[in-house]
Amino acid sequence: MADLSAQDAAARVAELKREAATHAIAYIEDGMAVGLGTGSTAKFMIDALGERVRREGLKIRAIPTSEASAAQAQSLNIPITNFADDPYLDVAIDGADEVQTGSLFLIKGRGGALLREKIVAVSARKFIVIVDESKIVTDLGTHMPVPVEIIPWGWERVENLLRQTGAKSCIPRRNEDGSLYMTDNHNIIIDCDYERIENPRGLADRIISITGVVDHGLFLDITTEVLVAGVSGLQRLKA
Ligand code: 5RP
């Protein structure tokens, strides 16, 4: 990919994301309750699912993981359900920011939807992750910070405590105008950069034990299968 222009490279990555997304919707069958992820890869998946609803008359119910994915699903006539009617989902499909080989541990939340994404993922009998090959890492944290969703009140205190978990930096996510970024749940996000996470379970325990933290972007022991689209084809990584 080195000699491609930046625009060509971005188009190629988008193509790989679309490919992973297209394969993933084969998991969805008539009558299923389905979790819909958030982000550019999930967007391709929701488009492809909408196409199956339109062309095949596929009958499904969906719980989207963000207001954006809900709006997209509604625009494609994908019926929306809720946890009162569907406490368990048959399958959830979502993208990721990093996937650790072997463990299939993930970092998620660059798109700010980590909390609903985790609730949906743990409610699904199968959690299918769709990525292009650039997301595969040996050690978590090498490319991406861990987003931590916290309540806005007293956030500086939580930021300070997060720094003490070994992060090289902890930066509150902001909008272009400098205001604090707000999640769909009206919380804020602190992006914590660990450079390399040696003990994801230990780190997850430390982060979640801080009062004021709602959840974090480490998704451990949740993934059923990862579909990785790469230049040499599609790979399936199973837990
Ligand atoms: C959003 C997420 C996304 O799944 C993750 O950021 C991957 O996004 P993309 O498919 O755009 O690369 O966790 O909160």
Side-chain angles (χ1 to χ4, degrees), residues 172-237:
R173 199 177 290 188
R174 293 187 183 274
N175 299 310
E176 275 177 13
D177 65 4
S179 60
L180 287 169
Y181 170 87
M182 286 280 160
T183 68
D184 285 349
N185 318 302
H186 308 288
N187 294 316
I188 67 169
I189 288 185
I190 309 277
D191 288 303
C192 292
D193 184 1
Y194 294 93
E195 286 178 0
R196 191 168 76 87
I197 299 171
E198 282 175 25
N199 177 1
R201 287 186 208 281
L203 179 62
D205 287 347
R206 284 191 74 183
I207 295 175
I208 205 68
S209 71
I210 299 171
T211 303
V213 166
V214 183
D215 216 324
H216 53 74
L218 289 167
F219 282 46
L220 313 182
D221 303 310
I222 304 176
T223 304
T224 310
E225 186 170 346
V226 184
L227 305 190
V228 189
V231 284
S232 48
L234 189 87
Q235 234 191 310
R236 291 170 191 271
L237 310 177

Side-chain angles (χ1 to χ4, degrees), residues 2-14:
D3 53 354
L4 291 177
S5 72
Q7 216 177 2
D8 287 346
R12 183 66 188 135
V13 168

